[in-house]
Amino acid sequence: MKIKGHDVRGSVLDEETRCAHYHQEMDRIAIKFYCCGTYYPCHQCHEEDGCGKMQVWPKEKFDEKAVLCGGCGHELTVREYLACESACPSCGVAFNPGCRLHKHFYFET
């Protein structure tokens, strides 16, 4: 699905990146997976429809754009996303703070 000019794959349900697995109001980000360079709403979407070679973003690449705001289409670097306190720095929409519990699926810790 094309969302704010970006291709987002997986079980996408709407134009703010909510998917079949995470579809609450604040679930509005997609992560560009390091292994394939493709945006997915969550790790489960990537497992179902991804490259089959999941890799997390290494710390030395945290300044690259890897997170898409489903609210406005702004791309955040990993560093910006981890520091944003669950809100888009561009448009201010809230991101689900519970996503922090899953950061090990996406980013080196």
Side-chain angles (χ1 to χ4, degrees):
M1 174 182 253
K2 198 74 129 171
I3 298 179
K4 313 289 190 287
H6 302 274
D7 288 320
V8 180
R9 295 185 58 190
S11 302
V12 185
L13 297 178
D14 67 19
E15 297 168 354
E16 287 196 333
T17 74
R18 291 176 194 89
C19 68
H21 311 103
Y22 297 96
H23 46 269
Q24 295 180 38
E25 173 64 23
M26 291 187 292
D27 292 324
R28 59 170 59 97
I29 64 162
I31 291 113
K32 184 187 294 181
F33 277 74
Y34 181 71
C35 45
C36 57
T38 304
Y39 276 114
Y40 289 88
C42 74
H43 64 96
Q44 290 172 298
C45 284
H46 183 266
E47 285 176 22
E48 293 170 0
D49 189 43
C51 65
K53 301 173 185 161
M54 191 160 136
Q55 295 177 359
V56 298
W57 281 89
K59 287 182 181 180
E60 62 270 10
K61 302 278 185 175
F62 277 16
D63 289 321
E64 293 188 28
K65 294 180 183 201
V67 180
L68 177 68
C69 172
C72 70
H74 178 70
E75 289 182 285
L76 292 79
T77 67
V78 175
R79 195 171 315 286
E80 289 171 325
Y81 174 70
L82 294 174
C84 77
E85 301 197 23
S86 302
C88 178
S90 180
C91 72
V93 300
F95 299 150
N96 189 334
C99 290
R100 292 186 181 276
L101 300 173
H102 305 135
K103 67 182 177 184
H104 62 282
F105 287 120
Y106 314 106
F107 314 120
E108 185 176 43
T109 56

